[in-house]
Amino acid sequence: MAETSGYYVRAAKLAEVETKGSLLVNLEKHTIALFYSNDRVYAIDNRCPHMGFPLNGSTCKDGIVTCPWHYARFDVASGGTFDSWADDVRSFPAEIRDGEVWVNLAQQLDPYAHQRQRLQDGLEQGISLVIAKSVIALLDQGATASEPFQIGLEFGTRYNKSGWDTGLSIHTCLMNILPYLDPEDRAPALYQGLSAVARDSAGAPPHFAVHPLPNSEVDAETLKSWFRQFIEIRDSEAAERCLLTAVRAPLEREQIADMLFAAATDHRYIDVGHSLDFINKALEALDAVNWEGAETVFASLVAGLANAARMEESSSWRYPVDVVAILESAMAQLPAALEMGRSHRGNWLGREQLIPMLLGEDVLAIVDALLTALKEGCSEDELASAVTYAAALRVARFNTNNDHSDWNSAHHPFTFANAVHQGLRRSPSVELLRGVFDAAIGVYLNRFLNVPPARLPEPTDVVENPEELLKQLPDLLDRQQQVNQVGKLVAKYLYSGGKSERLMAVLGKLMLRENRDFHVIQQVEVAFRQYALLENAGDRIVVLVAAARYLAAHAPTVRSQAQTYQMADRLHRGDRLFEESPEVL
């Protein structure tokens, strides 16, 4: 049994360390490399913090230990690294007492503060392994998921090339689906989101936000009007100042959302729906951190909103049918349609008749059906839900004979419609309601992707033990071109009484093992969110079939990101990754 004195443990005889130059010792739960240099003994953890290679026997020259694998260099006294990708190695104070080496095993640094800093370092340097290790360590030390999420949100909105973009949206999507995941998959989800932020921010200078108007007492409607005017003429600086004035005023959160959504729907389906989706994701991100750092988040949205392409400028929205002109006529009728239906709210029963109309080929009939629904008492929420579900059907019925890139065409109206739906639930307005009509046109323009439509699995196709079906899903997603098979399996599982919560956790797990893909992550997150809002069991199954088919169309990948996370997890657990195992005879 080791003899201890305070925090110190007797480790070895000094003469033995002097003779060998370095010596490996096991002290309680620690495997420590002792080095003799310049008449002193130093003690550091034996595992290189980069990827776990043993440091015992490494070269120690001029007070620097160099790992022989990737040549990471460490100050042997403090353990500090000279290579940021490697992380610091833990050092242990050592003393010489009567010809023996004693090592202090007490923790010398604040591990929580260290891991927060390492996460910041990983984001700044774009080092996925460092990000993964810090996320795992922070959660293990009791941090909530919102803490690393907020660090990534603050970093990504300050350091970005083009404002809020795919990285921050991935980060927020993965935060949104954490409750659906198995506990062991939540750290990998945070890691992937943070890595996406680091990728988008690589090499970007900080964004220097403009200041709000001084001592401003401008009312909400005036600020909203100004903001829309400045976005209209693509004046990012003036629009940003208006928006930050609204935040500082402070306006109510719903009023700020209304400003953004109104500007995003003043033109048709801007940036193929991404701009409005990014606004919705930014609002959801702020919800997750109680609106901390709102000014920086909102500032990151302005440039993309001002510079977005507008579908009025696209031939696909003008020829052979001028759908922009049709929409402008319909939107002029929105206030009257809403007013006419107000007294009938809560009694609308036309969803089943509306869905086939939305999937039809007569654009005038589609727009008229939307207006009629509003006149009959359909709420904004109900109308947005119906259009979002129609968009999900385009994905669920996507014919695999189409070009692979056409998956994106089917995908965009679904994510856009969901963003409009979520926005209307947050801050309903006539302006944002225009987005429902834009989404319906997106569904209409994609009608050829369902020619002929892929068959939806039948509710009568059931099995006795659905859990056995679910076990087959990973193997299917290990092979390409299994879209229809995966869709059928998912539907059969649910129609057979399988638990939707278990299915969503498995879909999330299988998504996370693939290399990060913006649209796949969006698709899965939107399907999960819509599943929670839908009331009809059959409709719920369709959105999960859509997500599963889309995932299958984009799997398998190289899966290098999951490998990086697995390495970080094994290092955190203390696995001896590269020490020789006993030879098996």
Side-chain angles (χ1 to χ4, degrees), residues 216-230:
S216 176
E217 296 182 0
V218 182
D219 62 87
E221 282 304 311
T222 300
L223 283 171
K224 177 180 176 181
S225 174
W226 286 351
F227 181 72
R228 293 169 72 180
Q229 289 178 45
F230 293 135

Side-chain angles (χ1 to χ4, degrees), residues 370-419:
L370 293 171
L371 288 169
T372 299
L374 291 172
K375 293 173 185 177
E376 293 175 348
C378 177
S379 69
E380 297 94 331
D381 184 351
E382 290 172 321
L383 196 68
S385 174
V387 172
T388 306
Y389 178 69
L393 280 167
R394 286 281 188 243
V395 182
R397 295 176 174 176
F398 183 90
N399 190 309
T400 54
N401 289 328
N402 289 300
D403 187 82
H404 189 269
S405 63
D406 286 332
W407 279 104
N408 291 341
S409 299
H411 160 84
H412 285 129
F414 184 33
T415 54
F416 174 77
N418 170 73

Side-chain angles (χ1 to χ4, degrees), residues 187-251:
L190 286 168
Y191 148 71
Q192 286 216 20
L194 288 159
S195 296
V197 169
R199 177 198 60 196
D200 270 9
S201 301
H207 173 73
F208 297 105
V210 300
H211 297 290
L213 295 171
N215 304 316
S216 176
E217 296 182 0
V218 182
D219 62 87
E221 282 304 311
T222 300
L223 283 171
K224 177 180 176 181
S225 174
W226 286 351
F227 181 72
R228 293 169 72 180
Q229 289 178 45
F230 293 135
I231 293 296
E232 176 67 29
I233 63 174
R234 303 184 188 276
D235 188 341
S236 297
E237 182 180 359
E240 184 176 331
R241 194 164 206 195
C242 269
L243 187 56
L244 297 190
T245 301
V247 177
R248 191 75 63 89
L251 267 61

Side-chain angles (χ1 to χ4, degrees), residues 532-566:
L533 296 175
L534 288 166
E535 296 179 358
N536 181 278
D539 293 352
R540 285 179 150 195
I541 289 173
V542 165
V543 297
L544 294 184
V545 167
R549 294 184 86 238
Y550 197 91
L551 175 59
H554 297 81
T557 61
V558 176
R559 301 177 181 173
S560 58
Q561 293 165 186
Q563 183 182 17
T564 297
Y565 179 84
Q566 290 163 7

Side-chain angles (χ1 to χ4, degrees), residues 149 153 157 164 168-169 172 260 276-289 291 297-298 300-301 426:
F149 175 77
L153 181 64
T157 51
W164 188 286
L168 284 162
S169 290
T172 308
L260 287 159
L276 194 141
D277 185 62
F278 288 173
I279 291 169
N280 181 60
K281 280 290 165 281
L283 291 164
E284 291 173 350
L286 287 173
D287 290 340
V289 297
W291 280 52
V297 170
F298 287 134
S300 72
L301 292 167
R426 178 189 298 272

Side-chain angles (χ1 to χ4, degrees), residues 53 65 94 112 118 153 158 201 290 295 314 338 380 404 507 512 554 573:
F53 200 81
V65 171
Y112 184 77
R118 286 304 290 160
L153 181 64
R158 177 159 173 74
S201 301
N290 197 26
E295 290 187 16
S314 169
L338 282 168
E380 297 94 331
H404 189 269
L507 287 174
L512 289 169
H554 297 81
R573 292 200 310 263

